[in-house]
Amino acid sequence: GLLNACYDAAKVIFPNILVIIHVGQPQNAAAATFWSRFSANGGKFDVMGFSSYAAGSNIPGVFSNMKSLQATYASTKPVIQVEFGGSYNKTSTATDLKTWIANIKSLPNSSNGGGVWYWEPEGYSPFTSYSMCAWDPTTLMPSSGILAAFQELV
């Protein structure tokens, strides 16, 4: 299908490129349905990607679903959390980010190829009303707690 044609085209131009298939909300049944159908139809990919904004006590359940999906459909491939976000001024954001980074790194094949991408880190008021950015609008710099979370676990 279309996704495999895109995979093949990307590999023709950049043979070593890693192709990510990104599915949102791994905690929902739709994620398992997608991976089941995609795999059954010979879906090609190099990296399993998920977006989740789970925080605090919700992280273990969502991560468990990611882990299960990887074990079932991509046991030899890395996982990337392609979207994470949280308020720049909440201590819990840095704590949650550290948890997500450690979780993703603990997955098979993900310590060197996986990771966590912060969604829209550079946004701040008045340029956006999105409230899950990493930039502090008073200093016009990234939140020190969020930067530390990335630096501590690299």
Side-chain angles (χ1 to χ4, degrees):
L2 178 62
L3 293 177
N4 281 350
C6 293
Y7 178 94
D8 293 340
K11 293 293 187 169
V12 166
I13 305 300
F14 300 106
N16 296 322
I17 197 167
L18 296 178
V19 177
I20 300 170
I21 295 296
H22 167 214
V23 176
Q25 301 178 335
Q27 67 272 26
N28 294 339
T33 299
F34 170 83
W35 284 107
S36 173
R37 291 178 181 167
F38 184 66
S39 296
N41 286 290
K44 298 178 189 178
F45 67 102
D46 301 309
V47 180
M48 182 178 254
F50 293 106
S51 56
S52 173
Y53 291 80
S57 63
N58 293 328
I59 293 173
V62 175
F63 177 67
S64 177
N65 286 7
M66 289 175 156
K67 192 173 182 176
S68 176
L69 289 167
Q70 182 198 30
T72 304
Y73 302 107
S75 62
T76 63
K77 300 178 190 285
V79 171
I80 292 179
Q81 183 172 341
V82 299
E83 291 182 33
F84 170 85
S87 180
Y88 76 92
N89 60 356
K90 285 187 175 179
T91 305
S92 61
T93 298
T95 302
D96 292 344
L97 180 56
K98 287 179 191 179
T99 300
W100 274 116
I101 292 170
N103 283 347
I104 297 298
K105 286 178 76 172
S106 76
L107 290 170
N109 306 307
S110 295
S111 62
N112 292 322
V116 176
W117 297 345
Y118 205 105
W119 183 253
E120 199 174 336
E122 75 291 350
Y124 60 89
S125 179
F127 302 106
T128 182
S129 60
Y130 181 69
S131 64
M132 309 260 293
C133 303
W135 238 248
D136 182 335
T138 58
T139 64
L140 305 182
M141 299 290 291
S143 159
S144 60
I146 292 169
L147 277 179
F150 279 112
Q151 293 169 337
E152 287 175 25
L153 297 168
V154 181

